[in-house]
Amino acid sequence: MAASDSPIIQLRGVTKIYGEGQSAFRALKGIDVDIAAGDFVAVMGPSGSGKSTMMNILGCLDVPSGGAFLFKDVHVERMDRDQRALLRRKYFGFVFQGFNLLARTSALENVELPLLYRGDPKKERREAAMAALDKVGLKEWWDHTPAELSGGQQQRVAIARAIVTNPDVLLADEPTGNLDSERSIEIMKLLADLNRTSGITVLMVTHEPDMAAFARTIIHFKDGLVERIDNHAHEPA
Ligand SMILES: Nc1ncnc2c1ncn2[C@@H]1O[C@H](COP(=O)(O)OP(=O)(O)OP(=O)(O)O)[C@@H](O)[C@H]1O
Ligand SMILES: [Mg+2]
């Protein structure tokens, strides 16, 4: 839980420039974004508009070229690489379009990985990983490898792996990009359920309005800028 009422995430005038000189490309041209703790946010916009660039900065995988990124009121852009890595491991979970599971490795072992990196003892790893698999409805499938699971099930394993450390924020970049619409809706329902029951803040990139409709807040990107932010909670009934 956030210690204060200020947004868990604040971006102020954030810019990102790839490359240098003649070939420099301004992927983010100065964006201001506030994310309230516990919100469910969809990020939309055309290809190349800067959505993944922002997600990578939020997840401490990349750094802004300018501006400020505050997480729980702390300036992340002033941190060194090691401090950012600690922040990332403690507070963030990641889900990607391509599932990124280890092949020939059981669902349980895939979900255990972040806890293994953290050095948790085996018994605790097993218990936490089984609990996470239970949350995504795959407890019975713990011993199956990715090849023995459907796309939707693989993405649910990836979500279990992302939440097994109890992160405050779940970042999902096109989590349903490789799934058909029925499977996509299942994943959306799961994300909405996790958001509602555990209070985890969810940020998800999607190209599909049907998927974005599950979110409370929608951030629209255009040409490296935030074009508009829709907040369903503030719409008249
Ligand atoms: N590492 C990089 N080096 C150089 N340019 C990059 C790099 N990463 C992204 N870009 C450029 O920055 C711009 C924004 O990219 P970004 O990946 O944020 O777009 P996006 O909105 O996520 O698009 P998509 O919907 O296709 O995933 C693009 O023009 C892209 O080519
Ligand atoms: Mg992208």
Side-chain angles (χ1 to χ4, degrees):
M1 289 294 126
S4 70
D5 288 336
S6 60
I8 189 168
I9 287 167
Q10 299 176 67
L11 299 180
R12 291 291 175 271
V14 165
T15 59
K16 181 69 190 181
I17 300 166
Y18 290 114
E20 282 172 26
Q22 290 277 305
S23 62
F25 183 83
R26 292 164 72 216
L28 293 176
K29 299 175 180 169
I31 61 168
D32 299 314
V33 171
D34 284 347
I35 308 289
D39 202 357
F40 184 174
V41 181
V43 180
M44 301 194 77
S47 184
S49 58
K51 304 180 298 296
S52 294
T53 300
M54 179 187 74
M55 296 290 274
N56 290 342
I57 290 171
L58 293 181
C60 308
L61 299 166
D62 203 354
V63 288
S65 305
F69 164 27
L70 290 96
F71 181 74
K72 297 192 182 220
D73 296 320
V74 176
H75 280 274
V76 180
E77 84 285 357
R78 293 177 191 163
M79 292 182 179
D80 64 27
R81 184 179 284 270
D82 290 345
Q83 290 173 315
R84 278 201 315 276
L86 285 175
L87 191 79
R88 177 167 69 237
R89 263 180 253 142
K90 187 163 158 61
Y91 294 108
F92 293 90
F94 298 88
V95 177
F96 303 96
Q97 179 171 355
F99 318 143
N100 298 7
L101 300 174
L102 295 182
R104 294 185 297 279
T105 304
S106 72
L108 184 67
E109 286 167 323
N110 267 285
V111 175
E112 269 185 51
L113 266 189
L115 306 177
L116 187 69
Y117 293 146
R118 200 166 75 174
D120 288 12
K122 183 164 182 173
K123 185 164 173 287
E124 284 159 36
R125 288 200 316 257
R126 289 272 132 120
E127 282 170 10
M130 278 307 273
L133 280 172
D134 194 20
K135 278 187 193 162
V136 302
L138 286 181
K139 204 174 163 188
E140 316 295 315
W141 298 79
W142 66 272
D143 114 3
H144 289 242
T145 62
E148 299 165 347
L149 297 167
S150 71
Q153 288 174 323
Q154 288 180 57
Q155 191 58 304
R156 283 195 275 155
V157 173
I159 291 169
R161 181 184 55 189
I163 61 170
V164 74
T165 54
N166 280 319
D168 286 30
V169 180
L170 184 65
L171 298 172
D173 199 342
E174 302 194 46
T176 64
N178 285 357
L179 301 174
D180 62 38
S181 62
E182 204 176 319
R183 253 23 92 200
S184 297
I185 286 168
E186 279 175 25
I187 293 295
M188 283 306 117
K189 284 182 176 163
L190 174 60
L191 293 178
D193 194 45
L194 291 171
N195 170 255
R196 197 172 46 242
T197 58
S198 68
I200 190 169
T201 306
V202 178
L203 271 98
M204 160 194 84
V205 176
T206 182
H207 285 280
E208 295 161 82
D210 287 357
M211 304 307 144
F214 282 83
R216 267 190 298 280
T217 302
I218 305 182
I219 303 176
H220 297 270
F221 269 76
K222 194 180 175 188
D223 295 334
L225 288 167
V226 171
E227 183 185 37
R228 189 173 88 247
I229 300 181
D230 294 335
N231 198 318
H232 291 198
H234 295 161
E235 275 173 19

